[in-house]
Amino acid sequence: MPGPSPHKPRRKAKRAGGNGPSNLPVIMEREALVRIPSFPLAAFLWPARSSVSQWELLPLILMAVGLFRWAAGLWGYSGFEKPPLFGDYEAQRHWMEVTTHLPISQWYFHDLEWWGLDYPPLTAYHSWICGKIGSLIDPAWFALYDSRGSHDPTLKIFMRATVLVSEYLIYIPAAVIFVRRFSRLSGVPAWTSSVALVAILMQPATILIDHVHFQYNTVMLGFVLASMSSMLAGRNFWACFFFVMALGFKQMALYYAFSVFAYLLGVCVFDHTNIPRFNIPKFIGIALATVVSFAILLLPIVAGTLSEASRGITAHPGGAHPPLPLFADLAKHLNTEAFYYPVIEQLVQMIHRVFPFARGLFEDKVANFWCAMNVVIKLKQYPAELLQKGALVATLAAIVPPNLILFLRPNKHPGLLPLAFATTAWGFFLFSYQVHEKSVLLPLMPMTLLLAGRQGLGKDTRAWVGFANILGCWTMYPLLQRVDLRVPYTVLTLLWAYLLGLPPTSLNAYFQDGSSIWSQWATAFIHGFFYLTMAFWHVLDMFVVAPKDKPDLWVVANVGVGAAGFSLCYLWCLGSLVIESEILPPSWTGKEAKTKSE
């Protein structure tokens, strides 16, 4: 159902109301949002509500969010003046010098003790492009060996610019297109979707990790957004291509892989009426598109390795062939002098670097189930194989339900897609192997996209999306604190909370008309408890020194509270997915009673 025009709400609402009483609350919600700016971000964009074209407001939005990103980048970064390895900033800079100075066959083998390349090929290609451009400006920035640990202020400007430009080339366009398409399919007016777009682009965790701490996560997230947008548009081949590119940039995109598979398989099995009719040509086409996309991704590595091998350049300049890291016995059945062996060695090494199973269940303290459980039961006393199997079983138990729903209801309505992606990513974050603090960006991204959907800026969705984002930033505070990034953490988190009318700056997102008083008080009580706990934790961390025999006490407390809060976010996303999919009888989910009351 198309949404009402921002400048003619009354006439549109009256005409649409004839479609049935079940549509009336949605229409009233949209009218209220258009007429009354109920939170600061809506008030700031209020003068633009009568804009004739959405493209008049978009340049202003992009300039504003870009300004905040660049201002955040004026602070320090991961590893600034912190030897011996100097953090993620040095890792990204080092990969630029490795890819621009060494043969492609040596990228995944060079000096693995000093930030050895451990991301998929597209990250390496991206590093090569950035390194080539940077070398034209100042070759000393990427001089192999000699530039390690460089903190040249001009280099910092260049590195910050590569993050910003990469984001504006990939993530920003993908976010704009997805929000416009998602909002249109959900019947949300253009002005309301513009408010949601600003909220999504001002998401504090993304800015803190990429533009302050220093990463390129938004490139991967941008490809995922492009894949999701292609799904909504019915362009399944492009959905395959963009998701393979996301996997090719960062292996963390596997958090979404089950949802991508479930959706694409679902559209092959069910038609638009949800009647099972297996479409074999579509299935074969999607499979071929996936294979071709992986071939395109690996082609430079494979072709470069073969070309260099023919010229006597190998991954091991010394000439020896060490055992394959993951398949040591495989080498016994292979001819190390055969023309194909360098390619096999290259691919095996890449997999070994990208999936470091030998590192254990977790390395650092992160707010997921395993790290929280480790406080009670020391998990490292158990064999690694047992822990891997336990993580696999727990992760599957968490992600199968949302993806089963997505498979059975691929054409229900567009809101199921981000809900399924968010639920699946929360399941991976809570239970999977080798989770890092920054991995919380993956469930936060699709959950935040809900702001652009039907009633997305309504109080209930805004309260839960806001709670997840603020809690996510709070759990990353120990990581940011270690590199002296307290100020940007405080400013960006409180700014986002203020713009969306969220605690601790406002209670605007609670107690709305038309919903259950019990659910309102329950949500307010639960969120209020966590917000107060987070504030109290900050006071303890700032003014109370942890006991000498428990130096990590406050970090461990952060882990426990964060894991509990993220578990609630998982349950809320899963519950919303079950309700919206209508896969259960209405009497089970409360929709029947709600419909009668309306």
Side-chain angles (χ1 to χ4, degrees):
M1 183 182 70
S5 169
H7 53 283
K8 294 182 180 180
R10 292 182 182 274
R11 185 180 304 172
K12 281 284 185 178
K14 182 177 180 180
R15 190 185 307 155
N19 293 336
S22 62
N23 293 323
L24 186 58
V26 177
I27 295 168
M28 293 175 63
E29 171 105 3
R30 295 180 196 157
E31 272 194 3
L33 182 59
V34 171
R35 286 200 224 143
I36 304 171
S38 57
F39 49 93
L41 180 58
F44 288 145
L45 295 177
W46 186 247
R49 68 194 184 282
S50 59
S51 174
V52 177
S53 170
Q54 60 178 329
W55 302 110
E56 293 178 4
L57 184 58
L58 184 60
L60 298 177
I61 292 175
L62 298 186
M63 285 189 289
V65 299
L67 179 63
F68 276 100
R69 281 160 165 73
W70 191 255
L74 296 177
W75 287 87
Y77 47 79
S78 170
F80 178 66
E81 296 182 349
K82 292 187 182 297
L85 292 178
F86 301 102
D88 287 342
Y89 176 91
E90 170 60 20
Q92 303 290 343
R93 188 210 62 79
H94 176 63
W95 295 343
M96 293 179 191
E97 69 182 9
V98 166
T99 54
T100 53
H101 284 82
L102 297 178
I104 195 170
S105 59
Q106 296 177 13
W107 288 359
Y108 284 95
F109 293 86
H110 175 75
D111 197 1
L112 301 181
E113 297 300 320
W114 184 272
W115 295 115
L117 183 59
D118 56 3
Y119 279 128
L122 196 55
T123 287
Y125 307 152
H126 175 263
S127 298
W128 179 82
I129 293 172
C130 294
K132 285 293 185 182
I133 296 173
S135 296
L136 294 176
I137 301 172
D138 188 347
W141 291 345
F142 306 110
L144 195 61
Y145 298 111
D146 295 334
S147 57
R148 290 185 176 183
S150 173
H151 295 301
D152 184 341
T154 311
L155 171 62
K156 174 187 173 183
I157 294 174
F158 171 78
M159 296 289 284
R160 294 294 195 194
T162 61
V163 178
L164 192 65
V165 172
S166 299
E167 185 167 341
Y168 269 75
L169 288 176
I170 305 295
Y171 179 74
I172 299 291
V176 171
I177 293 171
F178 177 87
V179 167
R180 297 304 187 199
R181 179 169 289 142
F182 182 48
S183 297
R184 185 174 66 253
L185 293 174
S186 302
V188 175
W191 177 81
T192 307
S193 71
S194 296
V195 177
L197 178 63
V198 177
I200 292 167
L201 295 182
M202 285 296 293
Q203 187 183 9
T206 304
I207 299 176
L208 284 169
I209 292 298
D210 276 22
H211 296 275
V212 184
H213 188 266
F214 202 87
Q215 287 278 321
Y216 294 94
N217 294 291
T218 49
V219 177
M220 177 268 294
L221 294 174
F223 282 123
V224 173
L225 273 171
S227 179
M228 295 174 69
S229 184
S230 299
M231 293 176 193
L232 293 180
R235 302 186 180 106
N236 298 320
F237 296 162
W238 281 110
C240 296
F241 173 79
F242 285 126
F243 187 68
V244 170
M245 293 304 106
L247 287 173
F249 195 84
K250 288 202 173 187
Q251 61 269 33
M252 289 192 303
L254 283 169
Y255 277 36
Y256 306 122
F258 272 75
S259 294
V260 173
F261 174 78
Y263 178 85
L264 293 177
L265 183 61
V267 297
C268 291
V269 174
F270 298 96
D271 60 16
H272 287 283
T273 60
N274 277 325
I275 298 176
R277 292 174 182 171
F278 189 56
N279 191 326
I280 296 178
K282 181 184 288 188
F283 178 80
I284 294 174
I286 289 174
L288 288 175
T290 304
V291 172
V292 170
S293 299
F294 273 110
I296 293 172
L297 176 67
L298 296 173
L299 180 61
I301 289 278
V302 173
T305 299
L306 288 174
S307 174
E308 290 168 3
S310 67
R311 293 181 282 121
I313 301 174
T314 66
H316 309 282
H321 290 286
L324 297 177
L326 294 178
F327 310 99
D329 294 335
L330 181 62
K332 301 176 182 178
H333 308 284
L334 297 175
N335 180 7
T336 58
E337 303 302 323
F339 77 95
Y340 59 78
Y341 185 81
V343 174
I344 294 177
E345 184 181 41
Q346 192 71 224
L347 297 179
V348 170
Q349 176 71 1
M350 187 189 308
I351 295 172
H352 171 62
R353 294 294 300 161
V354 169
F355 300 104
F357 289 112
R359 294 182 185 177
L361 189 60
F362 56 86
E363 284 184 280
D364 206 350
K365 294 179 176 62
V366 59
N368 76 342
F369 172 81
W370 300 114
C371 200
M373 179 62 68
N374 190 64
V375 177
V376 181
I377 303 173
K378 297 305 177 183
L379 298 176
K380 292 185 178 180
Q381 64 181 317
Y382 296 102
E385 295 78 9
L386 178 63
L387 295 176
Q388 291 175 11
K389 292 177 181 178
L392 176 62
V393 171
T395 304
L396 288 175
I399 68 176
V400 165
N403 290 294
L404 183 60
I405 293 173
L406 188 60
F407 166 71
L408 295 173
R409 295 287 191 273
N411 303 306
K412 182 62 180 177
H413 72 74
L416 298 187
L417 197 63
L419 273 173
F421 272 61
T423 310
T424 304
W426 279 125
F428 267 100
F429 181 84
L430 286 168
F431 299 109
S432 65
Y433 205 82
Q434 272 293 308
V435 174
H436 296 273
E437 300 97 325
K438 63 186 177 184
S439 301
V440 76
L441 295 178
L442 281 91
L444 287 180
M445 187 273 285
M447 192 172 178
T448 308
L449 294 178
L450 296 173
L451 295 174
R454 185 176 59 188
Q455 301 184 23
L457 293 178
K459 293 186 176 182
D460 184 61
T461 301
R462 185 155 45 93
W464 276 100
V465 170
F467 170 71
N469 274 276
I470 293 173
L471 181 65
C473 292
W474 180 76
T475 59
M476 291 190 297
Y477 178 78
L479 171 70
L480 300 171
Q481 182 187 39
R482 288 199 295 267
V483 288
D484 303 322
L485 299 177
R486 301 174 186 86
V487 173
Y489 157 81
T490 304
V491 171
L492 289 171
T493 304
L494 292 180
L495 173 65
W496 200 75
Y498 165 73
L499 290 175
L500 292 181
L502 300 167
T505 64
S506 172
L507 297 178
N508 173 272
Y510 300 92
F511 304 110
Q512 56 189 316
D513 295 333
S515 62
S516 167
I517 294 295
W518 183 88
S519 66
Q520 293 180 39
W521 275 103
T523 301
F525 178 79
I526 293 171
H527 289 188
F529 171 78
F530 277 91
Y531 282 122
L532 289 174
T533 301
M534 287 187 275
F536 183 62
W537 180 90
H538 273 300
V539 173
L540 292 177
D541 180 69
M542 187 178 299
F543 297 108
V544 180
V545 178
K548 292 183 179 180
D549 59 333
K550 298 178 180 177
D552 295 329
L553 178 61
W554 306 138
V555 178
V556 170
N558 183 289
V559 165
V561 174
F566 292 151
S567 299
L568 290 176
C569 292
Y570 166 82
L571 293 174
W572 181 83
C573 290
L574 180 60
S576 300
L577 181 63
V578 171
I579 294 171
E580 294 299 325
S581 67
E582 298 180 355
I583 200 165
L584 297 179
S587 59
W588 290 22
T589 61
K591 266 202 165 187
E592 186 176 53
K594 184 178 179 182
T595 302
K596 289 180 179 180
S597 66
E598 291 168 353

